């Protein structure tokens, strides 16, 4: 709001007001308990998470309590006032939306929000909840590093040498450090041809390393020096003093980013020379180097710095040594790159903008798997429970992506679990901060009923459809029980239109186009994997009694081919069929037809010749086809990591934030009214002593106004602080009414010179125009007498009105209400200008009158004689013209040269 390039994510919550950004940071010095920062670190975390304890140690002035329903964190301000981290973030998002709306001058509902790449499912859902509380529609949650990579990729597009390259982005921000390896290349797509693409190859991170950690260590260093110089006092027990030291540490860190040493000053006066601390600060943050990035530095073309903390010289020194490069890239804005990348993505997702396509292939940092337990029969006929795990999304799997897992060995209701996979790549500290490894428990209801209802059908398994959307959030869309049976196709004569459609479809290869080589789009890959999995499933369905270790396990065919009993397959982009009345789906599918179609996709010149014959043969033979029937299964999903807020709780939080916004708006309106009243009082008191106001007012009038202003000023000092917005507006309205006549007289006299000069100028020009119009010869006149008379009347009336009104005004005292009004002058100008413009437009589009000839008869006869001489030697007599031109009767004669020239020039004569 203050026109700065960035706004701190901070909220100050006092009893009756909220402050954001720099104002909230200022409040953190005076009243640290009500100013909240870095609450994003608490999103999606239970109270027993180590990160909560770390936050409490960093900001001990805040009271954190447990939400008994969700086991999450709550900020407690008083016995009646408390807020969750999601509500805090919702306040910031709403404030950000307000800034954008002020700039765009229109309402805003949609948003793309950046989140750290290491956010897990619970943290991402928490951000979505916060956006919902702020009444924002989230188009996408985009990872910070991906947004930075997109911003840099758009920058690369302007270079003609855009080609394959690997870039490392080292992002050290305020709270964390993330290192990302990104590959840029061009790919071919079906719809848009060659397009640029970025793909996230590897991600390493440290959740707690950033500019804040440097500031805290600087603060602790200052605290130690202060306590050493004042042994009787412990500054750590004073929250305000600690807040001041943290602010000074932030200032020192910023200065040390460009200087080798600096002096820190705090109050009480303690001067600390911080030359050696620069190295200690750098060492605090740079041991991460390239944190757990799975790409070798030798294959990296460039290392680019992102984030404000990378400006610290020691960070750059250690990083440069770690990556073994000659220099570090600083060619993007370290603070704004992520925001600009999110802006580009928002424009691409919005229907109101059109930008150059840029394919973004993000990657999921944490693997996700499905686990289930099934009773199996051992060789000795005994039964035991076997636990099975199937990878759903591998580590660094691209998304958005849909997947289907098929359970082939269940004929009754069962349950399975969705959990995180192997997280051994995380450190012990990260594992403790990560939270629960169990995502959801899914209980299926109605499986047994579906088998009983369709006992005459062959089961093709229970299919669970998963979706990881553009925001990296996993969801279970639906679960279906799939059956198949063979049915005979009825012999029916196809219509001519159907025959034509089938013929064209066969000629051009049947199904959709095959993806080109090097194509990485998600949808074609999904279709291909789905078809392969279906084919494998059908083969296994023919041999239900065949046993293998994979069959005992279950129920799912993974992406590896040897897992035969079930499938993990990519879901088709569209639903298999439409729902029927009983909640089932019916679809015809013939594997033979599929194989034939696949063959037909190969270009062949003879395909067109064989199509007609083939269709005739199929008409005569009844081919049994497979009918697929899909039965919807009821599912109950229990969230195991961090429970989501209930619908009523979300509505309550939204109302709480809306009430705060209304309160803020009312407070702003009251402050605006109070400021307007104070400004009016001071400005009017000053005007009473200005010459132009004294000229149009009497001493008594000025004394009355001055007295009322003084009374209002005293009221503001004594009672105004408690006055309502309405009382302030009424007081201002009363004073304006008192001063209205005085201000009107001054304003009119200010406008007179300009308005009268414009009227005088128009009268002069109109008079000149009128005189010129009357001087036009009658033969060339384009204006009627009525039109000229109307203009003349308007000029005379306006002139008379001006002279008479000026004379009357001069008789009045300056303190009286004027009769010469600026609005009347403007009306007279508009009326006269309308008459003049009408005549000017008529003259502009008028056509010149044809000029009358002096001897039309002679000229006509001459022309006739000349024209006729080309065809005949004599000319017939004209009607009634023979008496005038007897010499023309007889053979045509050549006209004299002078007369011939006159005839030629006659059409070019301009009557105007």
């Amino acid at each position: 709001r203050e026109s700065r390039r960035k706004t701190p994510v901070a909220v100050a919550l006092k009893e009756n007001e909220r402050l954001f950004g720099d104002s909230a940071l200022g409040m953190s010095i005076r009243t640290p308990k009500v100013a909240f920062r870095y609450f994003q670190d608490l999103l999606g975390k239970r109270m027993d998470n180590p990160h909560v304890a770390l936050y409490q140690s960093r900001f001990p002035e805040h009271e954190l309590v447990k939400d008994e329903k969700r086991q999450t964190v709550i900020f407690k301000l008083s016995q009646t006032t408390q807020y969750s981290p999601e509500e805090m973030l919702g306040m910031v998002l709403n404030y950000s939306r307000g800034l954008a709306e002020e700039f765009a001058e229109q309402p805003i509902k949609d948003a793309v929000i950046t989140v750290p790449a290491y956010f897990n499912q619970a943290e991402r859902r928490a951000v979505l909840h916060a956006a919902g509380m702020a009444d924002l529609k989230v188009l996408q949650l985009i990872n910070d590093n991906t947004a930075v990579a997109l911003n840099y990729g758009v920058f690369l597009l302007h270079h003609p040498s855009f080609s394959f390259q690997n870039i490392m982005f080292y992002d050290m921000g305020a709270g964390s450090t993330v290192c990302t390896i990104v590959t840029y290349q061009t790919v071919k797509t079906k719809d848009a041809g060659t397009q640029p693409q970025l793909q996230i190859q590897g991600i390493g991170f440290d959740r707690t390393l950033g500019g804040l950690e440097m500031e805290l260590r600087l603060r602790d260093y200052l605290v130690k020096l202060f306590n050493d110089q004042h042994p009787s006092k412990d500054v750590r027990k004073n929250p305000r003093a600690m807040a001041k030291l943290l602010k000074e540490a932030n200032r020192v860190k910023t200065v040390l980013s460009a200087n080798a040493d600096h002096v820190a000053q705090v109050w009480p006066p303690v001067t600390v020379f911080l030359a050696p601390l620069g190295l200690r600060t750098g060492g605090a943050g740079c041991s991460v180097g390239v944190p757990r990035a799975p790409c070798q530095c030798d294959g990296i073309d460039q290392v680019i710095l992102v984030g404000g903390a990378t400006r610290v010289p020691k960070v750059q020194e250690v990083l440069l040594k770690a990556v073994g490069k000659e220099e570090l890239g600083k060619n993007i804005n370290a603070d704004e790159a992520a925001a600009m990348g999110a802006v580009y993505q928002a424009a691409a997702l919005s229907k109101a903008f059109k930008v150059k396509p840029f394919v973004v292939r993000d990657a999921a940092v944490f693997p996700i798997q499905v686990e289930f337990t099934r009773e199996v029969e051992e060789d000795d006929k005994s039964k035991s429970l076997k636990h099975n795990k199937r990878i759903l999304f591998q580590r660094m799997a691209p998304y958005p992506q849909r997947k289907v897992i098929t359970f082939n060995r269940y004929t009754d209701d069962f349950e399975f679990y969705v959990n995180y996979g192997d997280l051994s790549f995380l450190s012990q500290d990260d594992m403790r901060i990560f939270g629960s490894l169990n995502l959801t428990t899914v209980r299926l209801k109605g499986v047994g009923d579906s088998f009983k209802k369709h006992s005459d059908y062959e089961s093709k398994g229970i299919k669970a459809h998963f979706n990881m959307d553009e925001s990296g959030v996993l969801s279970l869309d639906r679960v279906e029980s799939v059956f198949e049976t063979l049915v005979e196709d009825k012999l029916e004569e196809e219509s001519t239109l159907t025959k034509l459609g089938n013929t064209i479809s066969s000629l051009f290869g049947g199904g959709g186009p095959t993806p080109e080589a090097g194509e990485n789009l998600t949808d074609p890959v999904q279709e291909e994997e789905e078809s392969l999995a279906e084919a494998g499933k059908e083969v296994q369905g023919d041999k239900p009694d065949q046993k293998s270790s994979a069959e005992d396990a279950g129920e799912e065919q993974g992406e590896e081919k040897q897992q035969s009993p079930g499938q993990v397959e990519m879901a088709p982009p569209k639903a298999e069929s439409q729902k029927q009345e009983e909640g089932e789906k019916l679809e015809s599918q013939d594997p033979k037809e599929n194989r034939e179609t696949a063959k037909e996709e190969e270009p062949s010149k003879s395909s067109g010749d064989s199509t007609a014959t083939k269709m005739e043969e199929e008409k005569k033979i009844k081919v049994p086809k497979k009918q697929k029937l899909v039965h919807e299964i009821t599912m109950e999903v229990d969230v195991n990591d961090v429970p989501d807020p209930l619908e009523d709780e979300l509505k309550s939080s939204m109302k709480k934030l809306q009430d705060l916004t209304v309160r803020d708006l009312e407070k702003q309106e009251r402050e605006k009214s109070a400021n307007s009243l104070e400004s009016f009082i001071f400005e009017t008191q000053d005007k009473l002593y200005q010459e132009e106001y004294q000229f149009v007012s009497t001493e008594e009038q000025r004394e009355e106004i001055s007295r009322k202003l003084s009374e209002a000023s005293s009221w503001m000092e004594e009672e105004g602080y408690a006055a309502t917005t309405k009382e302030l507006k009424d007081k201002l309205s009363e004073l304006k009414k008192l001063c209205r006549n005085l201000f009107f007289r001054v304003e009119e006299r200010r406008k007179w010179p300009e308005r009268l000069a414009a009227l005088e100028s128009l009268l002069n020009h109109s008079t000149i125009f009128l005189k010129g119009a009357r001087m036009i010869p009658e033969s060339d006149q384009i204006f009627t007498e009525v039109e000229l008379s109307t203009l003349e009347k308007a000029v005379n009336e306006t002139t008379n009105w001006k002279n008479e009104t000026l004379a009357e005004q001069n008789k009045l005292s300056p303190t009286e209400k004027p009769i010469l009004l600026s609005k009347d002058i403007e009306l007279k100008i508009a009326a006269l200008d309308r008459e003049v413009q009408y005549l000017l437009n008529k003259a502009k589009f008028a056509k010149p009158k044809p000029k009358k000839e002096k001897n039309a008869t002679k000229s006509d006869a001459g022309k006739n004689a000349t024209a006729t001489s080309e065809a005949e030697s004599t000319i017939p007599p004209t009607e009634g013209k023979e008496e005038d031109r007897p010499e023309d009767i007889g053979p045509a004669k050549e006209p004299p040269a002078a007369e011939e020239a006159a005839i030629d020039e006659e059409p070019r004569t301009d009557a105007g």
Side-chain angles (χ1 to χ4, degrees):
R1 190 181 300 276
E2 294 81 12
S3 300
R4 298 191 179 184
R5 300 295 293 176
K6 55 184 179 180
T7 302
V9 181
V11 183
L13 298 170
K14 298 178 68 177
E15 292 182 359
N16 57 353
E17 69 174 333
R18 287 186 304 173
L19 300 175
F20 295 92
D22 293 308
S23 300
L25 290 184
M27 184 62 64
S28 67
I29 305 298
R30 300 190 295 273
T31 314
K33 186 177 180 180
V34 302
F36 301 89
R37 294 181 288 168
Y38 298 100
F39 42 78
Q40 308 98 299
D41 295 339
L42 302 178
L43 292 171
K45 293 180 178 60
R46 294 177 180 265
M47 189 67 183
D48 58 357
N49 193 295
H51 217 55
V52 177
L54 176 63
Y55 185 91
Q56 186 73 80
S57 65
R58 287 177 168 180
F59 305 99
E61 62 271 14
H62 299 318
E63 183 180 358
L64 303 180
V65 297
K66 181 167 68 173
D67 184 344
E68 297 298 336
K69 292 183 179 179
R70 302 177 59 213
Q71 308 300 312
T72 52
V73 184
I74 292 180
F75 291 98
K76 184 177 180 181
L77 280 71
S78 66
Q79 294 298 327
T80 58
T81 306
Q82 55 187 22
Y83 297 99
S84 65
E86 291 88 343
E87 290 171 340
M88 293 282 190
L89 181 58
M91 295 179 197
V92 173
L93 292 175
N94 190 47
Y95 175 75
S96 303
R97 188 247 305 275
L99 295 179
E101 287 180 338
E102 287 182 13
F103 180 81
E105 297 181 349
Q106 62 181 353
I108 293 177
K109 283 286 186 182
D110 303 337
V112 170
I113 303 176
T114 59
V115 297
Y118 53 76
F119 262 23
N120 58 29
Q121 293 295 308
E123 292 168 312
R124 291 175 186 271
R125 295 199 309 269
V127 175
L128 293 176
H129 294 326
M133 294 172 186
D135 196 22
L136 277 173
K137 178 185 176 184
V138 179
L139 300 179
Q140 181 180 345
L141 296 182
I142 186 171
N143 293 336
D144 287 330
N145 56 343
T146 306
V148 170
L150 178 58
N151 176 242
Y152 184 71
V154 174
F155 167 76
L156 284 180
L157 289 179
H158 298 288
H159 293 260
S161 59
F162 182 87
S163 60
F164 181 90
Q165 55 182 310
N166 292 319
I167 303 294
M168 173 192 285
F169 294 96
Y170 190 85
D171 182 0
M172 182 179 284
S176 61
T177 299
V178 178
C179 178
T180 310
I181 309 298
V182 182
T183 297
Y184 292 95
Q185 59 184 334
T186 55
V187 296
K188 290 183 178 180
T189 61
K190 288 190 302 183
D191 302 328
T194 302
Q195 292 183 344
Q197 172 186 279
L198 70 87
Q199 184 160 2
I200 306 298
Q201 301 287 2
I203 297 173
F205 61 88
D206 190 317
R207 283 176 175 263
T208 61
L209 175 63
L212 175 62
E213 182 65 21
M214 299 181 190
E215 295 172 17
L216 292 171
R217 296 199 179 191
L218 270 171
R219 183 197 65 179
D220 294 342
Y221 183 72
L222 294 175
V223 167
K224 181 179 181 300
L225 292 176
F226 185 91
N227 287 341
D228 290 345
Q229 297 182 23
H230 300 81
S232 61
K233 300 178 181 179
D234 187 357
V235 71
R236 289 173 294 188
K237 295 182 180 180
N238 189 327
R240 292 184 63 185
M242 292 294 287
K244 289 180 181 179
L245 287 174
L246 184 60
K247 180 181 179 182
E248 180 64 12
N250 175 272
R251 188 187 69 83
V252 168
K253 182 198 70 172
T254 304
V255 176
L256 287 179
S257 298
N259 298 274
D261 54 70
H262 188 56
V263 175
Q265 294 183 345
V266 295
W267 184 263
V270 176
T271 301
V272 185
F273 190 64
L274 290 176
L277 191 59
L279 297 178
R280 295 180 65 179
T281 305
C286 297
S287 59
V288 65
V290 185
R292 293 185 294 281
C295 182
Q296 297 294 330
C297 294
D298 296 340
I300 297 173
D301 298 304
Q302 191 178 9
V303 178
I304 296 179
L305 299 179
V306 188
T310 57
R311 296 189 179 97
V312 176
K314 191 63 177 180
V315 173
Q316 299 180 17
E317 178 185 332
V318 177
L319 179 60
L320 195 61
K321 184 178 179 181
V323 299
K325 298 293 182 181
E326 295 183 359
E327 61 179 359
L328 300 173
K330 303 176 183 177
N331 46 357
I332 63 175
N333 190 308
D335 293 317
E336 301 177 7
M340 297 305 295
V343 165
Y344 195 90
Q345 184 69 0
L349 295 174
S350 172
K351 297 179 181 179
F353 300 91
K354 185 176 181 180
V355 297
K356 184 176 178 63
F358 205 114
V359 182
V360 177
R361 292 181 60 81
D362 212 332
V365 179
F366 308 113
I368 296 177
Q369 63 189 13
V370 172
E371 302 181 23
F372 50 92
T373 302
R374 189 176 61 84
E375 190 179 66
V376 296
E377 185 176 335
E378 303 293 345
D379 295 336
D380 59 356
K381 303 300 182 179
S382 63
K383 294 184 178 181
S384 63
L385 294 178
K386 188 168 185 179
H387 190 69
N388 302 276
K389 296 180 181 179
R390 296 293 178 266
I391 298 297
L392 191 62
F393 291 96
Q394 297 181 351
R395 184 190 174 196
M396 304 309 297
Y399 69 85
Q401 190 175 168
R402 294 179 180 270
K403 289 225 177 163
V404 178
I405 184 169
T406 303
F407 302 92
N408 283 332
R409 292 302 181 187
Y410 287 100
T411 59
D412 206 347
D413 297 352
F414 66 99
E415 66 181 19
F416 61 89
Y417 311 92
V418 182
N419 302 326
Y420 289 105
D422 181 16
L423 299 180
S424 58
F425 60 91
L426 296 179
S427 66
Q428 291 297 323
D429 291 339
D430 285 335
M431 282 295 296
R432 286 191 290 269
I433 295 174
F434 190 84
S436 173
L437 301 183
N438 303 320
L439 286 171
T440 56
T441 299
V442 181
R443 285 186 291 273
L444 302 182
K445 305 289 185 181
V447 176
D449 293 340
S450 69
F451 276 83
K452 292 177 182 178
K453 187 175 182 180
H454 309 292
S455 57
D456 54 340
Y457 283 70
E458 178 186 1
S459 173
K460 291 301 179 180
I462 311 299
K463 292 181 179 289
H465 296 256
F466 291 90
N467 175 33
M468 184 172 284
D469 61 17
E470 294 84 355
S471 299
V473 177
L474 180 67
S475 61
L476 176 59
D477 288 346
R478 65 189 185 279
V479 179
E480 301 167 336
S481 184
V482 182
F483 301 91
E484 275 188 0
T485 188
L486 292 176
V487 296
E488 291 187 357
D489 192 17
K490 295 181 180 179
L491 271 176
E492 293 182 0
E493 285 295 329
E494 295 180 304
S495 66
T496 305
L497 186 59
T498 305
K499 291 179 183 178
L500 180 61
N502 292 337
T503 304
I504 294 175
S505 176
S506 301
L507 288 173
F508 287 94
T514 305
E516 301 182 22
E519 191 167 312
N520 290 321
L521 290 181
T522 304
D523 289 346
V525 175
Q526 292 172 352
E527 293 173 4
E528 183 180 23
E529 292 192 12
E530 174 76 13
S531 62
L532 291 175
E534 289 289 345
K537 179 187 67 176
E538 289 163 6
V539 171
Q540 296 146 23
D542 296 335
K543 301 178 180 179
D545 298 331
Q546 183 179 356
K547 266 197 172 184
S548 68
S549 59
E551 280 180 330
D552 292 337
E555 329 334 330
E556 184 267 336
Q557 175 185 1
E559 294 173 336
E560 300 179 2
K561 295 181 181 179
Q562 65 267 24
Q563 297 175 353
S564 57
Q567 303 94 10
V568 170
E569 53 195 359
M570 302 298 294
K574 296 182 179 179
E576 293 172 328
S577 62
Q578 297 293 330
K579 281 190 176 180
Q580 293 188 344
E581 293 182 359
E582 299 179 356
E584 300 176 354
K585 300 180 180 179
L586 192 63
E587 182 180 69
S588 176
Q589 182 179 5
D590 189 350
K592 292 183 180 180
E593 287 183 355
N594 291 342
R595 288 194 291 272
E596 290 170 358
T597 302
K599 292 178 181 178
E600 289 172 357
E601 288 179 0
E602 300 177 3
S604 174
K605 295 181 179 179
S606 62
S607 62
D609 301 333
S610 62
T611 301
T613 305
K614 185 176 179 181
M615 290 175 61
E616 292 296 330
E617 292 176 357
E618 288 180 354
K619 278 186 181 181
K620 299 175 182 179
I621 302 174
K622 293 183 179 181
V623 181
K625 292 186 178 181
K626 287 186 177 181
Q627 247 187 14
K628 181 181 290 185
L629 187 144
V630 179
H631 186 95
E632 202 78 31
I633 300 297
T634 303
M635 57 184 181
E636 296 178 0
V637 180
D638 293 338
V639 179
N640 297 329
D641 51 358
V642 176
D644 292 333
L646 300 176
E647 189 68 26
D648 292 341
E649 294 173 341
L650 286 174
K651 291 181 179 179
S652 176
S653 296
M654 181 182 294
K655 185 178 185 305
K656 186 193 297 185
L657 298 191
Q658 289 175 349
D659 291 342
L660 290 174
T661 301
V662 171
R663 189 192 69 181
D664 291 345
L665 293 175
E666 291 176 351
K667 181 176 178 296
Q668 293 172 9
E669 185 67 19
R670 186 197 174 282
E671 291 176 349
K672 182 179 178 181
S673 300
N675 292 335
S676 299
L677 178 57
E678 289 182 352
S679 299
F680 184 84
I681 292 173
F682 295 142
E683 291 175 2
T684 307
Q685 286 177 336
D686 181 65
K687 289 176 180 177
L688 293 179
Y689 296 96
Q690 295 178 11
E691 182 178 353
E692 61 177 344
Y693 286 89
Q694 291 182 346
F695 180 72
V696 297
S697 62
T698 63
E699 186 69 26
E700 292 78 9
Q701 292 172 342
R702 292 194 297 272
E703 287 179 357
E704 182 184 3
I705 294 175
S706 179
R707 180 174 55 82
K708 290 288 186 180
L709 294 174
S710 299
E711 291 176 358
S713 180
S714 300
W715 178 83
M716 283 288 295
E717 295 175 359
E718 298 172 0
E719 305 176 21
Y721 68 92
T724 64
T725 304
K726 184 178 183 304
E727 291 175 334
L728 294 170
K729 288 184 175 181
D730 290 343
K731 183 68 69 173
L732 178 60
S733 177
E734 180 185 344
L735 294 177
K736 285 185 175 180
K737 184 177 181 181
L738 176 65
C739 304
R740 182 184 303 162
N741 292 335
L742 172 62
F743 292 165
F744 176 75
R745 292 193 294 270
V746 173
E747 190 66 23
E748 284 297 314
R749 289 186 174 272
R750 287 176 179 174
K751 294 178 180 179
W752 283 351
E754 180 183 355
R755 301 294 193 278
L756 289 173
L759 179 60
E760 188 66 30
S761 175
L762 181 60
L763 286 171
N764 292 336
H765 286 88
S766 301
T767 303
I768 295 173
F769 175 78
L770 181 60
K771 291 181 179 179
R774 289 198 177 279
M775 293 175 63
I776 298 175
E778 183 179 355
S779 59
D780 298 330
Q781 182 62 265
I782 59 176
F783 304 121
T784 66
E785 182 59 30
V786 174
E787 293 170 342
L788 296 179
S789 299
T790 302
L791 176 59
E792 183 177 13
K793 180 181 179 182
V795 170
N796 294 335
E797 289 180 351
T798 303
T799 303
N800 295 335
W801 175 86
K802 184 196 72 169
N803 296 333
E804 292 173 359
T805 306
L806 281 175
E808 292 294 329
Q809 178 62 46
N810 292 332
K811 297 177 182 179
L812 296 177
S813 169
T815 60
E816 295 181 275
K817 182 179 178 180
I819 61 171
L820 178 62
L821 304 179
S822 58
K823 66 176 183 180
D824 292 340
I825 303 176
E826 292 170 357
L827 291 175
K828 292 296 182 180
I829 291 176
L832 181 57
D833 184 66
R834 184 167 55 250
E835 296 295 333
V836 175
Q837 290 298 327
Y838 171 78
L839 298 181
L840 288 175
N841 288 333
K842 184 176 182 180
K844 182 178 180 180
F845 297 104
K847 294 182 179 180
K849 293 182 179 180
K851 187 175 182 180
K852 294 182 180 180
E853 300 173 2
K854 295 180 179 179
N855 195 348
T857 304
K858 182 178 181 181
S859 176
D860 291 343
K863 288 180 183 178
N864 292 336
T866 306
T868 310
S869 64
E870 297 178 0
E872 302 176 354
S873 58
T874 59
I875 183 171
T878 58
E879 298 178 0
K881 298 290 181 72
E882 291 84 348
E883 297 84 356
D884 298 333
R885 297 286 303 277
E887 65 274 16
D888 288 341
I889 300 176
K893 298 181 180 179
E894 291 291 334
E899 184 180 354
E900 198 172 274
I903 293 173
D904 289 342
E905 292 178 1
E906 190 175 34
R908 292 195 296 268
T909 302
D910 191 355

